[in-house]
């Protein structure tokens, strides 16, 4: 059923366009040495920035300072007041804010980056969230405000709850860092809906991972996709899919990167789905078999092996429908519109044939246990 190396060697595209010509150079096409970071949280945004700065320096442009915007409690940004820092990413920081005019109630998230950044991730965030809002997409933050104050740009968006990464890490015991099967399949369906919504407005995410999906602040059953700093428009102004580039730099987080990334092949819709599947398997089993591999090329070979003799290593503990999903995703080519509904149906089948219960989600049970002061108060099962 599975053929070793068949995925990377498959000719997905007409001769001369993208995929196939890159294949013979499998895993040796890595002119640039990327630093592989141990934590799944780390991505290549910092490396991307360094590469951009190096290119700017070569062109005689003085590269900007590497520091992140630092704002303090009480600082004012436009009409927004900083309450505290929520976290930092590769390019900027996210703060909890409130509106000082009193016109907008509640708390929001303000994302800021230095205006001098050579890679402008907030610009992409604004483009993508604006398109999604126009399309009435339901799995994304609302964009409330954007602007520039002195040396930094900012956007203000809906405040979300904990990310899947945070929800997994509630447990210190690594074996327990997973969602219950019903919960994993159910959020998986919502993630696919989010991916379909994003693709339908013409963008690829290219950095899906547990840290980039969160639950709603008020609705713990809502799934929200975050962080469009690595996104790319895959359709042109005429609505046609852009032709693949001959080679593309690494984007995303190595642990969840699709095979295409490991051979510098330009990404397409299938790659977001492959990345999601790795994340889905991790949320279901608690780990991915290549988690401790640090070398990017070795990890790519491991992912290939998991299509053949390593299949049990990857899928052990997962419903058999996950294998069908992988076969389906692997069969997609650069220009093929994915059948998102088919993946969602397979997840629904996994729920029904295994008599799984979707709700309440693990974190709802944990909250109830905390409220009751009972056992299980420390996190999801
Ligand atoms: N709308 C939001 N509401 C609440 N927290 C948020 C929101 N957006 C981002 N965060 C949190 O802020 C932190 C930084 O997010 P950001 O997207 O800048 O970087 P990251 O995804 O952690 O890292 P990287 O950019 O390197 O991928 C994360 O902990 C993230 O969960």
């Amino acid at each position: 059923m599975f053929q070793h190396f068949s995925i990377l060697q498959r000719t997905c595209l007409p001769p001369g366009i993208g995929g196939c010509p890159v294949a013979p150079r499998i895993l040796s096409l890595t002119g640039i040495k990327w630093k592989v970071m141990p934590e799944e949280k780390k991505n290549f945004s910092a490396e991307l920035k360094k590469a951009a700065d190096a290119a700017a320096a070569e062109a005689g442009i003085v590269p900007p300072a590497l520091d992140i915007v630092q704002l303090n409690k009480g600082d004012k940004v436009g009409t927004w007041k900083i309450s505290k820092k929520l976290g930092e990413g590769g390019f900027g920081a996210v703060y909890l804010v409130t509106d000082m005019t009193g016109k907008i109630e509640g708390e929001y998230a303000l994302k800021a980056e230095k205006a001098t950044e050579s890679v402008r991730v907030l610009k992409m965030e604004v483009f993508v969230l604006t398109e999604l809002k126009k399309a009435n997409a339901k799995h994304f933050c609302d964009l409330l405000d954007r602007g520039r104050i002195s040396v930094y740009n900012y956007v203000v968006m809906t405040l979300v709850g904990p990310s899947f990464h945070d929800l997994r890490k509630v447990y210190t015991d690594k074996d327990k860092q997973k969602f219950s099967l019903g919960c994993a399949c159910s959020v998986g369906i919502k993630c696919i809906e989010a991916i379909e919504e994003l693709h339908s407005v013409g963008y690829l995410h290219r950095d899906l991972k547990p840290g980039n999906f969160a639950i709603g602040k008020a609705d713990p059953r809502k799934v929200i996709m975050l962080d469009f700093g690595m996104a790319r428009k895959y359709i042109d102004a005429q609505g046609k899919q852009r032709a693949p580039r001959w080679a593309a730099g690494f984007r995303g987080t190595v642990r969840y990167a699709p095979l295409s990334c490991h051979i510098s092949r330009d990404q397409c819709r299938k790659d977001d789905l492959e990345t999601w599947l790795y994340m889905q398997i991790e949320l279901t089993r608690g780990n991915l078999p290549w988690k401790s591999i640090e070398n990017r090329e070795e990890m790519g070979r491991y992912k290939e092996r998991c299509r053949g003799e390593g299949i049990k290593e990857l899928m052990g503990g997962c419903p058999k429908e996950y294998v069908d999903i992988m076969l389906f995703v692997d069969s997609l080519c650069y220009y093929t519109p994915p059948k998102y509904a088919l993946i969602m149906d397979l997840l629904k089948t996994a729920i029904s044939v295994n008599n799984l219960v979707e709700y309440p989600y693990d974190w709802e049970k944990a909250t109830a246990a905390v409220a009751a002061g009972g056992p299980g108060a420390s996190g999801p099962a």
Side-chain angles (χ1 to χ4, degrees):
M1 181 161 59
F2 297 99
Q3 278 185 349
H4 192 42
F5 284 95
S6 64
I7 308 303
L8 291 180
Q9 287 167 340
R10 178 179 295 128
T11 305
C12 283
L13 301 165
I17 310 173
C20 187
V22 179
R25 294 179 283 168
I26 293 170
L27 304 179
S28 60
L29 214 186
T30 50
I32 309 161
K33 282 270 170 259
W34 296 92
K35 198 171 135 212
V36 178
M37 304 185 188
E39 287 293 308
E40 81 267 26
K41 207 173 175 310
K42 304 264 172 73
N43 66 15
F44 282 93
S45 49
E47 271 82 348
L48 178 67
K49 181 181 188 333
K50 260 192 233 159
D53 287 346
E58 242 179 66
I61 303 161
V62 179
L66 277 167
D67 57 336
I68 300 261
V69 175
Q70 295 301 345
L71 296 165
N72 301 307
K73 185 174 179 203
D75 282 354
K76 288 165 190 157
V77 179
T79 57
W80 303 93
K81 191 167 167 186
I82 307 285
S83 303
K84 65 171 186 180
K85 187 192 272 186
L86 293 168
E88 267 182 18
F91 287 87
V94 181
Y95 296 90
L96 182 70
V97 294
T98 49
D99 173 46
M100 291 184 300
T101 65
K103 286 182 195 152
I104 308 170
E105 274 181 26
E107 293 179 310
Y108 294 88
L110 180 144
K111 207 167 181 177
E113 77 178 8
K114 281 259 165 80
T116 48
E117 290 290 0
S118 43
V119 181
R120 302 277 302 278
V121 295
L122 279 192
K123 208 168 156 184
M124 185 52 87
E125 191 102 16
V126 170
F127 283 154
V128 177
L129 289 177
T130 306
E131 289 302 316
L132 287 161
K133 195 171 178 172
K134 272 195 242 162
N136 277 324
K138 59 179 185 185
H139 291 288
F140 302 87
C141 288
D142 225 2
L143 192 62
L144 280 98
D145 191 15
R146 54 183 279 205
R148 181 171 173 168
I149 297 282
S150 80
V151 292
Y152 51 89
N153 295 315
Y154 68 89
V155 296
V156 180
M157 64 181 91
T158 324
L159 183 70
V160 301
S163 69
F164 289 177
H165 174 84
D166 302 329
L167 291 166
R168 272 184 76 217
K169 299 287 169 178
V170 166
Y171 279 119
T172 43
D173 181 349
K174 287 207 183 299
D175 288 340
K176 288 190 178 165
Q177 292 181 349
K178 58 183 175 184
F179 297 171
S180 63
L181 200 47
C183 175
C185 290
S186 182
V187 297
I189 294 169
K190 293 176 186 178
C191 291
I192 295 294
E193 279 173 3
I195 295 170
E196 183 173 16
E197 286 184 327
L198 179 68
H199 290 177
S200 72
V201 298
Y203 287 91
L204 304 175
H205 189 283
R206 303 196 300 171
D207 192 21
L208 295 176
K209 58 182 176 179
N212 283 340
F213 281 102
I215 57 168
K217 188 86 185 154
D219 180 358
R221 297 183 184 182
K222 190 177 164 106
V223 168
I224 299 158
M225 186 192 279
L226 297 171
D227 199 356
F228 303 93
M230 295 273 171
R232 183 167 196 264
K233 191 138 201 207
Y234 72 93
I235 53 168
D236 63 21
Q238 283 71 46
K240 275 202 177 148
Q241 191 168 344
R242 290 162 80 179
R245 296 164 293 177
W246 276 93
F250 202 106
R251 293 287 177 276
T253 304
V254 212
R255 184 181 291 183
Y256 309 100
L259 291 167
S260 289
C261 249
H262 289 274
I263 56 164
S264 307
R265 193 156 60 190
D266 210 3
Q267 292 195 47
C268 60
R269 286 169 286 184
K270 151 201 165 59
D271 297 299
D272 272 349
L273 293 172
E274 185 182 329
T275 302
W276 159 80
L277 181 59
Y278 296 146
M279 178 188 92
Q280 180 71 16
I281 294 169
E282 186 180 57
L283 294 177
T284 305
R285 293 170 31 122
N287 58 57
L288 283 165
W290 50 80
K291 68 173 191 297
S292 48
I293 292 179
E294 302 231 328
N295 180 284
R296 187 169 70 124
E297 292 167 28
E298 208 186 310
M299 199 186 284
R301 283 191 292 270
Y302 206 124
K303 286 175 188 173
E304 283 181 277
R305 199 148 54 74
C306 285
R307 266 74 183 178
E309 81 251 31
I311 186 75
K312 282 197 178 140
E313 237 185 297
L314 176 65
M315 294 288 189
C318 297
K320 75 171 190 37
E321 286 74 17
Y322 281 26
V323 177
D324 299 331
I325 294 174
M326 189 164 81
L327 284 169
F328 168 67
V329 171
D330 284 347
S331 76
L332 295 171
C333 297
Y334 186 88
Y335 287 105
T336 327
K339 289 184 180 133
Y340 306 92
L342 191 141
I343 302 177
M344 290 188 266
D345 283 347
L346 284 165
L347 290 168
K348 285 175 196 162
T349 304
I351 292 172
S352 63
V353 300
N354 292 295
N355 289 320
L356 302 174
V357 178
E358 286 183 67
Y359 304 113
Y361 282 160
D362 298 341
W363 39 93
E364 296 179 80
K365 289 181 227 163
T367 314
V370 169
S378 58

